[in-house]
């Protein structure tokens, strides 16, 4: 069979089975139309959050945590190494699972994980299996965090403010879940800031004690030298020079005073660890609504169904043609 003969055979085959092809297109189009018609709309909330801080901490500086930890205002004695991307934090497993473990009082006091699993089961696809709610709390939180991962989106806008978007088919879940996530991010920052300030305070406290001990050691040596009486060969009395000892003492005393200033600053930052994230745009309705279009799905399904049915109809011809060509090339 030549290519021209194959083309003619395909046209004849398609013409002969045009009714079957049409039925296949209508069937798939109707199926996708029904699927889109029955699917529930999804609701997306948008919340923007920013740090409550002084002017030097007014923006997130590209998502860096350094300014939120108070490092922009800290003295050079403290390290600026601690930095984390706020987007990675918002989407992290730690935040998601912490949010999934929280209970929503207005929704029968169920955990976020339970609510997400129940809503997922209500809107599962035709061939998807139902998710069983785990009895173990750890597995429940893990599963809830996994569902939350696909529904949560975070980004930094052009003004350096964090935007959180949460999508769900139940609009009653959108606001409380978003607020829980924001609270978890805020609490993370508060705890981290407390830990950083406490570590600085503990370090400077021990440094002050060490320097104080050194300064007192110089004082003891000075007193011992003052009480020492030396004589020259002609019995003239003189005292040992203490200029070098005094200089060393003043140098360590200056270091001690600087450490005391750092300790006071660390204590101030420890006392200043208050909620440092506030919601600028709250996740309130109206939400962005997205609904599958039955017309678009039905039309696309119709043409795809026609194409698939046509391929199935002519598959036998194409198979025999390919087999014939292979045999001819092999000389069989």
């Amino acid at each position: 069979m030549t290519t021209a003969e194959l083309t003619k055979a395909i046209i004849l085959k398609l013409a002969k089975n045009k009714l079957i092809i049409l039925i296949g297109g209508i069937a798939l189009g109707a199926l996708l139309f029904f699927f889109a018609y029955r699917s529930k709309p999804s609701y997306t909330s948008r919340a923007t959050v920013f740090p409550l801080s002084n002017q030097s901490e007014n923006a997130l500086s590209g998502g860096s945590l350094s300014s939120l930890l108070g490092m922009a205002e800290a003295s050079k004695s403290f390290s600026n190494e601690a930095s984390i991307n706020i987007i990675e934090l918002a989407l992290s497993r730690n935040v998601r699972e912490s949010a999934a473990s929280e209970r929503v009082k207005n929704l029968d006091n169920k955990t976020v994980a339970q609510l997400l699993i129940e809503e997922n089961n209500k809107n599962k696809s035709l061939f998807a299996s139902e998710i069983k709610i785990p009895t173990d709390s750890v597995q429940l939180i893990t599963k809830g965090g996994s569902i939350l991962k696909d529904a949560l989106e975070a980004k930094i806008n052009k003004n350096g403010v964090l935007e959180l978007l949460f999508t769900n088919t139940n609009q009653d879940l959108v606001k409380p879940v978003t607020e829980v996530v924001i609270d978890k991010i805020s609490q993370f920052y508060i705890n981290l800031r407390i830990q950083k300030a406490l570590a600085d305070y503990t370090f400077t406290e021990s440094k002050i004690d060490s320097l104080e001990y050194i300064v007192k050691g110089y004082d003891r040596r000075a007193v011992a030298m003052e009480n020492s009486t030396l004589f020259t060969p002609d019995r003239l009395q003189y005292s040992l020079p203490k200029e070098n000892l005094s200089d060393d003492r003043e140098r360590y005393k200056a270091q001690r005073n600087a450490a005391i200033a750092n300790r006071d600053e660390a204590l101030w930052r420890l006392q200043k660890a208050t909620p440092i994230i506030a919601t600028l745009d709250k996740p309130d309705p109206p939400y962005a609504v997205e609904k599958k279009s039955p017309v678009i799905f039905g039309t696309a399904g119709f043409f795809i169904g026609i194409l698939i049915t046509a391929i199935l109809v002519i598959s036998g011809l194409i198979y025999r043609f390919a087999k014939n060509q292979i045999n001819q090339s092999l000389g069989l």
Side-chain angles (χ1 to χ4, degrees):
M1 180 184 292
T2 63
T3 305
E5 293 174 339
L6 175 65
T7 303
K8 184 178 180 180
I10 288 176
I11 294 174
L12 292 174
K13 190 77 171 178
L14 292 176
K16 183 179 179 181
N17 296 278
K18 59 183 178 182
L19 183 60
I20 296 176
I21 296 172
L22 184 62
I23 292 174
I26 293 174
L28 186 58
L31 182 63
L32 292 183
F33 179 91
F34 181 75
F35 167 76
Y37 180 79
R38 290 294 303 272
S39 63
K40 291 184 64 176
S42 60
Y43 303 90
T44 301
S45 67
R46 176 183 174 272
T48 56
V49 295
F50 68 102
L52 285 176
S53 50
N54 59 30
Q55 189 174 1
S56 65
E57 298 174 349
N58 226 1
L60 292 177
S61 302
S64 175
L65 179 60
S66 301
S67 61
L68 291 178
L69 285 174
M71 293 179 180
E73 63 195 20
S75 68
K76 296 186 183 298
S77 302
F78 295 120
S79 171
N80 288 353
E81 293 176 357
S83 179
I84 188 171
N85 188 285
I86 192 171
I87 296 179
E88 293 179 359
L89 168 64
L91 301 178
S92 66
R93 179 176 178 179
N94 177 51
V95 169
R96 287 186 285 107
E97 292 187 354
S98 296
S101 65
E102 286 296 311
R103 295 186 177 274
V104 182
K105 295 181 180 179
N106 297 335
L107 297 174
D108 300 330
N109 203 35
K110 293 182 179 179
T111 63
V112 171
Q114 287 178 287
L115 295 170
L116 292 176
I117 292 175
E118 290 175 357
E119 187 62 25
N120 186 83
N121 290 336
K122 290 179 184 177
N123 300 281
K124 66 181 182 65
S125 60
L126 182 63
F127 302 103
S129 58
E130 183 174 322
I131 302 175
K132 294 184 179 180
I133 299 179
T135 56
D136 181 70
S137 59
V138 176
Q139 294 180 3
L140 176 63
I141 292 171
T142 302
K143 188 62 182 177
S146 177
I147 297 175
L148 196 58
K149 180 180 180 181
D150 298 327
L152 195 64
E153 181 183 354
K155 59 183 179 181
I156 298 292
N157 65 17
K158 62 182 180 180
N159 297 319
V161 177
L162 173 67
E163 288 188 2
L164 279 178
L165 295 94
F166 175 71
T167 303
N168 196 268
T169 52
N170 185 353
Q171 58 180 329
D172 293 333
L173 285 180
V174 174
K175 180 178 179 178
V177 172
T178 306
E179 289 176 339
V180 168
V181 173
I182 293 173
D183 289 341
K184 292 301 178 182
I185 296 173
S186 180
Q187 192 59 51
F188 176 89
Y189 278 117
I190 295 169
N191 293 340
L192 193 59
R193 189 167 184 172
I194 291 174
Q195 292 175 12
K196 179 66 172 64
L198 186 59
D200 290 339
Y201 180 82
T202 303
F203 171 76
T204 52
E205 186 72 18
S206 61
K207 185 175 181 179
I208 290 170
D209 292 340
S210 177
L211 292 171
E212 185 68 25
Y213 179 81
I214 294 174
V215 170
K216 288 182 178 179
Y218 278 108
D219 290 338
R220 288 191 295 270
R221 289 173 59 185
V223 171
M225 293 173 68
E226 186 67 33
N227 293 334
S228 300
T229 302
L230 301 178
F231 298 93
T232 61
D234 55 358
R235 310 298 293 176
L236 293 176
Q237 180 178 337
Y238 71 96
S239 300
L240 291 174
K242 307 181 185 63
E243 287 81 3
N244 293 339
L245 185 66
S246 178
D247 291 343
D248 290 342
R249 180 183 181 278
E250 290 302 318
R251 184 172 66 254
Y252 281 104
K253 186 177 179 181
Q255 293 181 23
R256 183 200 62 185
N257 294 338
I260 291 174
N262 286 340
R263 180 191 62 184
D264 294 340
E265 183 180 9
L267 182 60
W268 173 78
R269 289 199 289 114
L270 183 61
Q271 294 171 340
K272 190 173 175 280
T274 55
I276 56 175
I277 286 185
T279 307
L280 180 61
D281 291 330
K282 295 185 178 181
D284 293 326
Y287 305 121
V289 182
E290 183 179 345
K291 179 76 167 66
K292 295 181 177 67
S293 172
V295 175
I296 295 176
F297 270 72
T299 304
F302 175 73
F303 288 108
I304 294 173
I306 286 178
L307 180 62
I308 293 175
T309 309
I311 292 174
L312 292 176
V313 167
I314 64 174
S315 60
L317 290 174
I318 296 174
Y319 172 75
R320 287 194 295 271
F321 176 77
K323 183 178 180 181
N324 184 47
Q325 291 295 108
I326 294 173
N327 290 337
Q328 288 181 2
S329 63
L330 297 177
L332 298 177

